[in-house]
Amino acid sequence: MTAPAAPPASAEVEILIRRLDPDLPPPAYALPGDAGADLRCAVDVELAPGERAVVPTGLAIAMPAGYAAFVHPRSGLAARYGVSLVNTPGTIDSGYRGEIKLIIVNLDRARPVTLSRGDRVAQLVVQRVEQARFVEVEQLPPSERGEGGHGSTGR
Ligand SMILES: O=c1ccn([C@H]2C[C@H](O)[C@@H](COP(=O)(O)OP(=O)(O)OP(=O)(O)O)O2)c(=O)[nH]1
Ligand SMILES: [Mg+2]
């Protein structure tokens, strides 16, 4: 079986990058078509169980209006060591020009974890996002779900 055919080609979006730490490689997709481009940590970090740290990536970006980038954990690190991001996914606004930082947490209950400068510790997913216009009304239109939430459809 081959993968389903792609819809009509969508152009790649150009993202400008600044390497604040020129010795680190730029963000890159590990394989063609990957959703996330890997981000590296710019410093060595050791996290005790339950500890978190704000970690620099040495990277600043500028993307077009109408886009946002989301910082996601890497599942390999999550499965092997319990490493995640506190605010997953972290939101990078299109107007943000500062250094992308990762709020990394060690969720393992027993083992400390060491991340070394240059390790690929997170991934950046670039997406189109809509801007909403919030219109206040007295009543919201009816729907089949109504106000049912939090398991209202059953287990
Ligand atoms: O994991 C993250 C999340 C955010 N940011 C940067 C980019 C983003 O545009 C900015 C603000 O993030 P967010 O809106 O999530 O935080 P906030 O607490 O609402 O801060 P602000 O008041 O600056 O919007 O911080 C990061 O570098 N890493
Ligand atoms: Mg904000």
Side-chain angles (χ1 to χ4, degrees):
M1 277 277 273
T2 54
S10 63
E12 287 171 338
V13 58
E14 189 172 280
I15 303 241
L16 306 178
I17 66 166
R18 279 190 66 214
R19 273 197 276 171
L20 310 173
D21 188 333
D23 293 335
L24 289 179
Y29 296 102
L31 293 171
D34 278 359
D38 292 326
L39 297 177
R40 296 172 189 267
C41 61
V43 294
D44 298 334
V45 205
E46 177 163 349
L47 294 173
E51 195 185 0
R52 69 175 184 270
V54 178
V55 176
T57 60
L59 182 74
I61 67 175
M63 59 199 133
Y67 285 83
F70 298 94
V71 181
H72 290 259
R74 291 189 68 207
S75 60
L77 286 179
R80 252 178 283 135
Y81 305 112
V83 167
S84 190
L85 301 174
V86 172
N87 58 332
T88 180
T91 304
I92 311 301
D93 298 293
S94 66
Y96 181 66
R97 301 288 182 267
E99 180 172 16
I100 296 178
K101 297 198 174 142
L102 307 170
I103 312 171
I104 301 184
V105 61
N106 176 7
L107 294 176
D108 194 275
R109 284 151 66 132
R111 285 179 305 171
V113 69
T114 303
L115 304 169
S116 303
R117 171 180 159 77
D119 284 355
R120 294 176 294 139
V121 291
Q123 53 186 327
L124 191 72
V125 177
V126 175
Q127 292 187 285
R128 287 200 82 114
V129 292
E130 303 292 336
Q131 282 286 298
R133 185 164 40 87
F134 297 100
V135 181
E136 192 169 7
V137 293
E138 285 292 326
Q139 287 228 314
L140 298 174
S143 74
E144 192 169 339
R145 175 173 282 276
E147 294 183 16
H150 303 284
S152 66
T153 66
R155 289 185 61 145

